[in-house]
Amino acid sequence: METRPEPMSTPISSSPDRDQAPVATPGQSSPARPEPQPLPPRELPAEPTPDHALVWHEDRLFLLDQRYLPARADFLAIDSATGAARAIKDMVVRGAPAIGIAAAYGVVLAARDRFRQDPQAWPDLIQADLDELAASRPTAVNLFWALERMRRRLAGLTAGLPGASKVDPVIGAFQGRPEPYVKAHGQSGATANTGQAGFDLCQTAADPMPALLAEALAIHAEDIAANRRMGQLGASLIQGPTAVITHCNAGALATGGFGTALGVIRQAHAEGKITQVYADETRPWLQGTRLTAWELAQDGIPVTLQADGAAASLMARGGIGWVIVGADRIAANGDVANKIGTYGLAILARHHGIRFMVAAPTSTIDWGIADGCAIPIEERDPGEVLACGGSRLGPAGVGARNPVFDVTPAALVDAIVTERGIVERPTAERMRALLVAVDHKDRLAGNPV
């Protein structure tokens, strides 16, 4: 079993004795990046894979309907903001990063429809769509982060500008891409009068869809790249070979592609560091049983399912090096909101001397919330707990609690892995150091902060 090392003196991991690329701290140049990452899929595959959870195709959003996996792998076509909001609420798409991406595409659909409805009043009409998308699920902060980014883009368009900031926020994801790619992913009908992002600025001033689509595609592309970077950083912490436990589903299905927690597991398995994954079934939606097991099996990674209450006895046997989970919201002090049952798993891990890792992009960090007490926790229909497979199991007259998430205190977390760096033994001070690093890099890139 892996031992628990002493906490590092600096929250951003850069220790030379770890097998990882150094992580830049404020004032330093960024480390060398890996080869260009895969781009958001634009074609519907004959055989859907976990990395095709969200596909923008022929001016519609196609979502791999996660309610029916693995028995059926069907795409649901979404052609309106209302449809996107309903898909988020009904858990056709779930996982904080994927929810944010779906909402961004929902804004694109809203802009298209509102502009067709009234080319002059569309900026006012679209506000109702933004509100509907924001109300779809309350806990996943990526939803509000993505909507805010799309709002900034909208503000720039309504001011007659290509973007809301001096430097086009789209260019980050498209930087270094060949011009045909930029045109194909920004706006297929771009003319000679193109701006940095590859779409017609004159057309954009009238029709908001090209610019907003480019922004949504950028959000999607950046998420894939961030997940692959997190995979590398998280894998660098694992000494291995070892077995790990994961909870719920924080894989490609929950993101734009590759996954957060499962991205770390995929990378570490490829490096020979993880030999076995134990996936909690994750009641009541059984995301571990239906989604995580399917993803890992698709990748040929050994996976064994277990009941949510079986983790303690497994840990007591030995051989578990890490618990690796994702997050739906992280407070400024490092408290983590994730699928219900994560908190208990963290307590068990600490008792058994097993390290606990949270993998999440910086867009999941809510810097405006001081600690986990302020994180809103979604409560869903009690019937989800009282029933299974559509059949009610609980006796008549009996109620049920159905909180979707719980909050794991930062004191129980050994490492928060983001695409911008690793925060070990998170505290408010160490999280602030990450925030400084993020702001510094964004300013260097010209992105709004």
Side-chain angles (χ1 to χ4, degrees), residues 51-92:
D51 287 305
H52 291 89
L54 303 99
V55 180
W56 181 267
H57 177 67
E58 295 182 347
D59 288 339
R60 289 193 294 175
L61 173 61
F62 288 83
L63 298 174
L64 186 57
D65 196 333
Q66 299 184 32
R67 298 171 298 180
Y68 304 115
L69 287 171
R72 285 167 33 203
D74 297 333
F75 282 102
L76 182 66
I78 306 296
D79 57 10
S80 69
T82 294
R86 185 181 303 114
I88 294 169
K89 185 174 182 179
D90 292 347
M91 295 183 67
V92 173

Side-chain angles (χ1 to χ4, degrees), residues 363-374:
S363 58
T364 302
I365 303 173
D366 189 341
W367 300 106
I369 288 183
D371 56 47
C373 295

Side-chain angles (χ1 to χ4, degrees), residues 403-435:
V404 182
F405 307 99
D406 56 24
V407 176
T408 299
L412 296 176
V413 177
D414 289 284
I416 294 177
V417 178
T418 78
E419 79 281 12
R420 300 297 181 91
I422 301 169
V423 182
E424 296 208 42
R425 301 292 182 87
T427 63
E429 182 179 2
R430 292 181 172 193
M431 293 294 290
R432 279 196 296 273
L434 178 67
L435 175 60

Side-chain angles (χ1 to χ4, degrees), residues 54-386:
L54 303 99
V55 180
W56 181 267
H57 177 67
E58 295 182 347
D59 288 339
R60 289 193 294 175
L61 173 61
F62 288 83
L63 298 174
L64 186 57
D65 196 333
Q66 299 184 32
R67 298 171 298 180
Y68 304 115
L69 287 171
R72 285 167 33 203
D74 297 333
F75 282 102
L76 182 66
I78 306 296
D79 57 10
S80 69
T82 294
R86 185 181 303 114
I88 294 169
K89 185 174 182 179
D90 292 347
M91 295 183 67
V92 173
V93 59
R94 24 75 47 210
I99 287 172
I101 295 166
Y105 285 127
V107 175
V108 177
L109 295 168
R112 180 196 65 190
D113 293 344
R114 295 304 189 181
F115 182 76
R116 288 174 178 173
Q117 180 182 352
D118 190 327
Q120 300 303 318
W122 71 266
D124 295 325
L125 298 173
I126 201 174
Q127 298 306 315
D129 302 303
L130 297 175
D131 292 343
E132 184 177 21
L133 288 164
S136 56
R137 292 196 72 181
T139 302
V141 74
N142 305 64
L143 168 67
F144 307 103
W145 173 87
L147 288 176
E148 177 57 29
R149 180 160 161 178
M150 298 300 284
R151 283 181 188 273
R152 287 201 304 266
R153 194 64 165 148
L154 281 164
L157 294 174
T158 55
L161 301 174
S165 61
K166 284 186 178 180
V167 177
D168 193 329
V170 174
I171 211 66
F174 291 155
Q175 200 161 17
R177 299 291 183 190
E179 186 175 348
Y181 165 79
V182 176
K183 289 184 177 180
H185 284 70
Q187 166 66 9
S188 58
T191 69
N193 185 23
T194 55
Q196 287 178 314
F199 49 79
D200 188 338
L201 300 187
C202 295
Q203 183 183 10
T204 300
D207 182 356
M209 185 178 174
L212 292 173
L213 176 57
E215 188 78 351
L217 286 163
I219 290 172
H220 195 165
E222 290 164 12
D223 185 69
I224 298 172
N227 293 337
R228 290 189 174 273
R229 180 63 176 157
M230 278 186 284
Q232 295 172 339
L233 293 175
S236 74
L237 295 175
I238 300 172
Q239 296 170 3
T242 188
V244 300
I245 295 174
T246 191
H247 189 69
C248 194
N249 172 260
L253 291 169
T255 68
F258 198 68
T260 54
L262 291 196
V264 172
I265 289 171
R266 291 170 83 171
Q267 182 66 34
H269 178 263
E271 295 176 11
K273 295 179 176 181
I274 289 179
T275 57
Q276 176 70 42
V277 180
Y278 291 92
D280 290 347
E281 61 175 352
T282 321
R283 282 276 293 151
W285 274 76
L286 299 173
Q287 291 99 325
T289 301
R290 299 185 302 104
L291 306 180
T292 294
W294 182 65
E295 283 203 42
L296 294 173
Q298 292 262 315
D299 277 345
I301 299 174
V303 56
T304 299
L305 286 166
Q306 64 179 0
D308 292 350
S313 62
L314 178 64
M315 291 179 182
R317 284 169 36 187
I320 304 297
W322 284 86
V323 174
I324 306 175
V325 300
D328 283 78
R329 189 179 298 212
I330 300 174
N333 72 334
D335 290 348
V336 176
N338 193 49
K339 184 58 58 184
I340 191 72
T342 303
Y343 181 18
L345 202 58
I347 293 172
L348 292 172
R350 181 56 56 92
H351 176 76
H352 289 91
I354 295 168
R355 302 191 72 191
F356 192 91
M357 182 192 304
V358 176
T362 50
S363 58
T364 302
I365 303 173
D366 189 341
W367 300 106
I369 288 183
D371 56 47
C373 295
I375 296 177
I377 300 299
E378 178 183 3
E379 295 252 359
R380 291 182 66 87
D381 182 359
E384 294 178 355
V385 174
L386 295 167

